[in-house]
Amino acid sequence: MATGLTSQEALSLLSSQLQSTLSTCSAKHSALTWMSEAWLPGSVRSLFRLTSMVFCLLLSLALMATRNSYPEMVSAVVVLLMVVANLMLSGWESYQRSVEVYRRVQRLVKVVEQAAMHPAWKAENYPHLHTPLSASIVLQWTVRDTNLVNLPWALLVKGDIVLIKPGQVAPGRCSIISEKVDLRLEQGETFHTDKFKPVEKSLLPEFKSSLSPQKFLLDETPFLSELQVVLDQASHRPLSKLTKQRHFMISSVMEYICTPLVLVLVLAWNCVRHQHSWSWLSGHPKYQLFLTEPVSATLPLLPLLLPAWWLLVNTAALANVLAIFRQSSTITTNSDPFDDTVETPDMEETVPAVSWPYTRDTFWSCLLGTGEHLSRTENILHCLGSVTSHCCTDKKGILSWPNTSPEKIFFLKSGEKQTETEEQSQSENGEMDVEEEEQTGKVVTPEILTVTHDHKNPFRVEFDDPNWSRHLPSLKPLGLSVRLNTCNLDTEEKYTDFYNYLVCESAREPLQRPGGDTGMPDLLPIPARGCLCELSFRIGFNPEVEAGWELEQQLQTFRPVVSDSPGTSFTRNLTMAKLKFPFPHQVGVLARERKEGGLQLLTQGTADIVLDSCVDCWTGTDLVGLTAETRKKCLEFYHRCSLTSYCSAFSYRPVTVRPPWPGTVTTCQYMELPPNSSPFLSQATTQSEEDIDRVSIGSCGDRSISTDSGVFCSSQEVTACLETQCNQSFLGMVQMQYQARVDMVQFIDLLEKACIRFVHFSKENELRSRVFSEKMGLESGWNCHISLQNPDLATAPSIMYGRKRVTKKFSTISGKGRHFLSASLPAKMNKDSRFLDFPPWGDTGRPLLAGKESHGSEESQVGSTSTSSMLQYDMSNRAQLPAGIENIRPHLEEMDNVPLLVSLFTDCTPPTTKQMVEILQENGEVVAMLGSAANYHNIRIFLSADASLAVEPLYPQVCQHVPVFIPPHRGIAPTDLARHFTGVASSVSFKREEDVSVYHAIISSRRHVLAIRHGLQFWMSSSMFLSTVVLMSLLLLLPSPLSPPQMLVISSLYLPVLATASFFSAHDGNIRNISTGKNSPILCSRATLCHTFWCYGLRFLPALVSTSLAHLLSTIHLQTQCKDQVNCSTFLTPKLSFLTDTNMTFVTISVVLASLSYVSRTDHLWQYKPRRSWHILIASLVVVVVQLLYFTVRMVPDHMDTIPFWAWVVHLGFIPVVVVVNELVKRQEIKLNVRFQKRARLDFNTKLGINSPF
């Protein structure tokens, strides 16, 4: 068991456990669920309900009861066949939806089985062991194939041996492999080292032994719990907007209202007609009054072919969108599709062409439900076609580059000596020590060089200053330090162990100190040193420089920060403020020059502790002593950078003797300095009885401290190691930041043009998140962000909007002999970070904390006053937006809707993110979620969204010259396999480095959804028109203008053909700039009815009038031909049949002309482009030609006298009227739509709540 599992054993076990879980969940699946969803009248997702079946059966029986006409009998059989087909189709579709996720998991099992058949993965196929931590990626050190590898979380199985680092969160339920210690950890529980060594803090510097990662045995397969949630909740996603509209138009209006209403009305009216013999033609048969005519009026209202059309069109559109995702990587463009410096409307309008074979295969895969794609439980077509909020849960590797890039370089240079007046003035203000100035005789001034990174390669940097080379003497020592320390791969292993130790220290439970505070600040160690190879190369150091140096030793030192003043709420307020500063630490390397044998100490760390170790600074030409003023400027730069980014300081000194730093190859020793000691190194050999907190080596004497407290070296060895790090020369600082990807910046800009709000759920605090959101182009002014972190009841009052009017002041004893607070952190943080900038209007330029207020020693004043201007950074919440996820809903109910309009949510956790997504959906937002496929926390968030896109992020690199992993020659890579696990409930899964155009997929989906909606509207309005034509004729006491077979041909043949052609030809010029509206419940209001009758009723009004009038004239004409006949209806049967054929022909022409107006809602008929609209043109021509051929064949024999002249005039004369009226209606519709879009754009851009000052 010590060797762990092999890859084949782990994958085989994982496959069997997946299959077992799938079988268990499948056994709980009830068939009644999908059957009720398929056929019950109340089902919204059903394509063909039992009510439709009942109506169709009644009409079929009515047609069979006539027994007088062969066409009616054929029509009855066709209707019955359609009923059976629709019932089977609806049931099959519902069943496919219920088992879709199960089939997706079955495909996943097959992928795992195929991976198990390939040769075992090698160590280089996994991510690098020392891959920098990233919130977007969850990796776990695991023993596989006797090798220690960095395994993706999803591939962990029961029985795996995992190595959990101190301070790391357990990946699953596990127990330690040890005979001495009994320790069990649950998933999400932090591994503390308290059971392995006592937690004691000494007032003296001491060495702490590192704790190597401990071996744990996994007691469960972590992914199985997530899989059960996926199988249970995958089908519970909210209804799409298009599905609601289909249900409203086809079911609520046509099936539940119009069909029974028309049927009852026709039967009642025909009863009256039969009672009073009201008819233009005598001898009207009863079977026509009570069987044929009700069927003719009701038949077009039934969804006979609509279920099949809906399924095929939706699947074709979905296949096209999925093909766009897959084909984007092979598309080459001449220009950057996200370059906003060039207006390229064609780029925004044109959707990349996709190959027909791939689309065909995707179409059949979605239609047959093979599990390769999700088309029923999660329809990405419907979501992207009406999306209003495009959300993202992860930053690193998706929104930004995975590694930090240098932004600014801070160093010191020689300046001109100041005049006596300036020196005296500054001395009076307490800003400079004149005595020190006189001793040095030189003045140093800070210099800051800004650096710009290449947007295609984050490691490549360029100096913004064209004359930067004049600063090379100051930059070269810094570049050498980068080569030998920061980017030296030989130091990475021990640095990783030291980093883990700092994580454990910062995540430890609150420490109780005598007479002190019980709270420990939430400090974060610096995430990673970052790769600065390119910066060093620009300065002039090639990678070959490392060959001239030999690494001798590594020195790691840290200093915890614990408040020890009874009256100080420093740590409590710091935690409340959520300004997480790096844990004070430094890492030094002793490097020996191979040629001359000189020993050099190169140090990198946080500026607070590095500055304490320095006594002078390098100015490019000479060493100059560090004055209080210089330290203040350095700390001010460091504090500003640490608030929003990451900053590393560098120092240097030559060493003559190698210090006796303890430790072996396998174990590391770290020097822990007393909490809040400052400055500790420059006074290492000076005993100060006045200040007990200062490092006081001399008081130790020659005694040895017991090993129980973690100190195992004599005081002389500690002193020697401490003195080695003293008297260093300050070189400079480098500010690093995660840079936003250019394609994401332009993507967000395009989303805003399309009225789609980009929402970032950031895991970082408000300040860091807000600064990065500005880089992405998100709004950062009024109402810009909301924190989802629950207010801390222990440190802040439970106020919904977080206003804290009363704050406690620090009450410490001032004096030079006292020093309670470290210079590593701001000393006056007694306000919540959201209210750091809360002055009255007009006083925003005044510092909140005056520098003259003294709390602590002189050194503390330097650290605290340097932050006075830093605290002017505006993080205020003047709009009184809610703080905490539990306050969002009360705010929406009682205040305003501003939380729905915010683009940035900070301090997010997976549960709060999921809750916020549900709140957005409750208020009509359509949420598309973009998240990391390497972060298992996103699985449940993906389930809550309308649709999700799982993206495998870019992995951070230890160094740009070290690849993350090497893909295997055969089979799938571990990271790719893990992506299939996390994206099991996602519609689309792809890699970040792939050239996938999500924007083009959104535009294509929007075009398809609008086309389907227009097709439904055309189908519904045409069906209502056909029914109204019959109803109008019956009200005029005329025979039915169309027979049931003719109605069946038009409604089940012509309408589907025209609707399909309209779908393929549909286009709108402003498709990328319109608002699709919210996914709100559809209500039938008076305004909606008026708009429907005006917009759709007027289109068919000329055709209704012309058909009814011509039918009336023809009936009157036929009446004159049978004056002597008792039963005119029987006598004129052939002529009435030709009359219905004539009516069918011109009704078909009217429907075809009306269909042309549904192709585009922004262009008139003469603005159509044949290359775009050839589908509808050809379909219309074919339908009209087929109908005219049939009509011509019917007219030639002996029916020329059936239709009177004026009836022909009405039929032919109203054709241009139909076209003109349709275009006039469209003109008004365009104007109305323009007004609606302007209002929607105004609502989208307005975020002013009830607390707005404007």
Side-chain angles (χ1 to χ4, degrees), residues 303-497:
L304 295 177
L305 210 65
L306 185 63
W309 180 86
W310 168 268
L311 180 60
L312 294 176
V313 169
N314 272 275
T315 306
L318 178 62
N320 178 260
V321 172
L322 293 175
I324 290 176
F325 277 105
R326 297 304 177 194
Q327 295 286 334
S328 294
S329 58
T330 61
I331 295 172
T332 57
T333 56
N334 296 328
S335 59
D336 185 2
F338 295 101
D339 187 5
D340 60 350
T341 60
V342 180
E343 292 294 335
T344 55
D346 291 338
M347 180 275 297
E348 297 176 351
E349 293 181 13
T350 305
V351 175
V354 294
S355 64
W356 162 245
Y358 182 83
T359 306
R360 177 198 58 203
D361 296 340
T362 307
F363 173 81
W364 287 113
S365 176
C366 295
L367 187 64
L368 300 178
T370 61
E372 181 182 1
H373 306 283
L374 296 182
S375 59
R376 295 170 175 88
T377 56
E378 177 179 298
N379 196 317
I380 196 171
L381 168 71
H382 291 182
C383 176
L384 295 185
S386 56
V387 60
T388 59
S389 296
H390 193 93
C391 305
C392 184
T393 60
D394 297 281
K395 179 181 83 170
K396 300 175 185 178
I398 297 180
L399 299 179
S400 71
W401 290 99
N403 288 83
T404 55
S405 299
E407 280 190 339
K408 295 179 182 179
I409 302 176
F410 178 96
F411 56 92
L412 300 171
K413 66 176 183 178
S414 299
E416 297 180 358
K417 191 172 182 178
Q418 297 174 323
T419 63
E420 295 181 0
T421 306
E422 292 175 346
E423 290 182 2
Q424 182 179 0
S425 173
Q426 292 183 357
S427 178
E428 292 175 356
N429 294 334
E431 297 182 1
M432 180 180 294
D433 193 330
V434 182
E435 295 181 359
E436 294 182 0
E437 186 67 30
E438 291 176 354
Q439 292 176 2
T440 60
K442 296 181 180 180
V443 178
V444 293
T445 58
E447 182 74 20
I448 300 176
L449 291 180
T450 57
V451 180
T452 302
H453 78 288
D454 188 351
H455 70 278
K456 294 183 179 180
N457 182 5
F459 295 110
R460 187 175 181 180
V461 294
E462 295 288 344
F463 288 94
D464 295 341
D465 187 358
N467 299 322
W468 68 271
S469 57
R470 57 194 171 97
H471 300 294
L472 274 177
S474 299
L475 296 176
K476 281 192 173 182
L478 194 147
L480 180 62
S481 180
V482 167
R483 280 293 177 192
L484 299 182
N485 190 353
T486 307
C487 295
N488 189 347
L489 296 180
D490 295 335
T491 66
E492 192 61 39
E493 183 174 354
K494 287 190 176 182
Y495 175 79
T496 302
D497 293 338

Side-chain angles (χ1 to χ4, degrees), residues 466-662:
N467 299 322
W468 68 271
S469 57
R470 57 194 171 97
H471 300 294
L472 274 177
S474 299
L475 296 176
K476 281 192 173 182
L478 194 147
L480 180 62
S481 180
V482 167
R483 280 293 177 192
L484 299 182
N485 190 353
T486 307
C487 295
N488 189 347
L489 296 180
D490 295 335
T491 66
E492 192 61 39
E493 183 174 354
K494 287 190 176 182
Y495 175 79
T496 302
D497 293 338
F498 182 51
Y499 173 80
N500 296 333
Y501 187 86
L502 294 182
V503 170
C504 187
E505 287 293 319
S506 63
R508 193 181 300 282
E509 294 297 326
L511 303 178
Q512 177 67 43
R513 297 199 57 190
D517 205 339
T518 59
M520 189 170 185
D522 188 8
L523 302 179
L524 289 182
I526 193 166
R529 292 182 293 182
C531 179
L532 300 175
C533 291
E534 190 67 25
L535 180 62
S536 179
F537 175 76
R538 295 292 299 165
I539 294 175
F541 291 93
N542 296 321
E544 292 77 13
V545 174
E546 298 179 18
W549 296 80
E550 181 182 359
L551 178 64
E552 291 279 338
Q553 201 171 28
Q554 293 179 240
L555 316 178
Q556 294 97 353
T557 305
F558 71 97
R559 178 177 62 200
V561 178
V562 178
S563 176
D564 54 0
S565 175
T568 299
S569 57
F570 166 68
T571 44
R572 186 187 306 113
N573 289 291
L574 178 66
T575 305
M576 184 182 68
K578 294 173 291 187
L579 298 179
K580 301 178 180 180
F581 278 70
F583 205 104
H585 70 280
Q586 66 179 15
V587 178
V589 294
L590 279 173
R592 186 180 299 277
E593 194 174 3
R594 298 181 186 274
K595 183 181 296 186
E596 300 180 359
L599 198 60
Q600 314 290 343
L601 174 64
L602 303 167
T603 303
Q604 176 185 356
T606 56
D608 43 19
I609 198 169
V610 170
L611 279 171
D612 284 344
S613 68
C614 297
V615 293
D616 51 28
C617 61
W618 173 250
T619 62
T621 57
D622 198 3
L623 292 175
V624 180
L626 280 174
T627 63
E629 175 67 17
T630 305
R631 292 178 185 271
K632 172 186 175 182
K633 293 178 180 179
C634 296
L635 284 174
E636 184 177 20
F637 177 84
Y638 168 70
H639 285 148
R640 283 181 175 274
C641 294
S642 297
L643 279 176
T644 59
S645 56
Y646 311 93
C647 185
S648 290
F650 298 86
S651 61
Y652 152 87
R653 70 162 289 184
V655 179
T656 56
V657 180
R658 178 173 175 173
W661 197 279

Side-chain angles (χ1 to χ4, degrees), residues 137-161:
I137 302 168
V138 181
L139 300 173
Q140 178 60 53
W141 281 9
T142 310
V143 179
R144 284 283 175 91
D145 301 304
T146 69
N147 296 321
L148 180 61
V149 298
N150 217 358
L151 187 71
W153 175 90
L155 302 184
L156 292 170
V157 297
K158 181 180 179 180
D160 261 330
I161 297 178

Side-chain angles (χ1 to χ4, degrees), residues 156-384:
L156 292 170
V157 297
K158 181 180 179 180
D160 261 330
I161 297 178
V162 297
L163 275 73
I164 300 183
K165 311 164 192 175
Q168 182 186 344
V169 173
R173 189 172 68 251
C174 56
S175 55
I176 194 169
I177 304 177
S178 175
E179 298 179 356
K180 299 179 180 180
V181 180
D182 183 17
L183 180 62
R184 295 181 180 272
L185 297 177
E186 295 293 332
Q187 183 177 1
E189 186 177 353
T190 303
F191 171 48
H192 293 289
T193 59
D194 301 347
K195 289 194 174 183
F196 295 88
K197 61 179 181 179
V199 181
E200 295 182 4
K201 298 298 177 183
S202 174
L203 295 179
L204 301 175
E206 57 188 13
F207 280 104
K208 294 289 187 179
S209 59
S210 65
L211 181 66
S212 60
Q214 298 297 306
K215 289 185 178 181
F216 282 78
L217 181 66
L218 271 181
D219 299 331
E220 65 175 1
T221 300
F223 179 74
L224 296 182
S225 60
E226 302 297 326
L227 179 61
Q228 291 176 357
V229 175
V230 171
L231 295 176
D232 293 339
Q233 301 180 6
S235 59
H236 297 162
R237 285 187 170 93
L239 289 170
S240 66
K241 184 178 180 180
L242 186 61
T243 302
K244 288 182 179 179
Q245 292 174 339
R246 174 187 62 82
H247 175 74
F248 176 76
M249 288 187 289
I250 305 303
S251 300
S252 300
V253 177
M254 292 180 60
E255 182 179 350
Y256 296 154
I257 299 177
C258 295
T259 301
L261 182 64
V262 169
L263 186 60
V264 172
L265 184 61
V266 171
L267 290 176
W269 176 246
N270 282 352
C271 286
V272 175
R273 289 177 59 193
H274 176 69
Q275 184 70 25
H276 300 280
S277 300
W278 289 350
S279 178
W280 288 92
L281 301 178
S282 60
H284 201 64
K286 292 183 181 180
Y287 73 89
Q288 289 189 359
L289 287 175
F290 299 106
L291 296 178
T292 305
E293 291 177 351
V295 171
S296 299
T298 310
L299 189 61
L301 300 177
L302 297 177
L304 295 177
L305 210 65
L306 185 63
W309 180 86
W310 168 268
L311 180 60
L312 294 176
V313 169
N314 272 275
T315 306
L318 178 62
N320 178 260
V321 172
L322 293 175
I324 290 176
F325 277 105
R326 297 304 177 194
Q327 295 286 334
S328 294
S329 58
T330 61
I331 295 172
T332 57
T333 56
N334 296 328
S335 59
D336 185 2
F338 295 101
D339 187 5
D340 60 350
T341 60
V342 180
E343 292 294 335
T344 55
D346 291 338
M347 180 275 297
E348 297 176 351
E349 293 181 13
T350 305
V351 175
V354 294
S355 64
W356 162 245
Y358 182 83
T359 306
R360 177 198 58 203
D361 296 340
T362 307
F363 173 81
W364 287 113
S365 176
C366 295
L367 187 64
L368 300 178
T370 61
E372 181 182 1
H373 306 283
L374 296 182
S375 59
R376 295 170 175 88
T377 56
E378 177 179 298
N379 196 317
I380 196 171
L381 168 71
H382 291 182
C383 176
L384 295 185

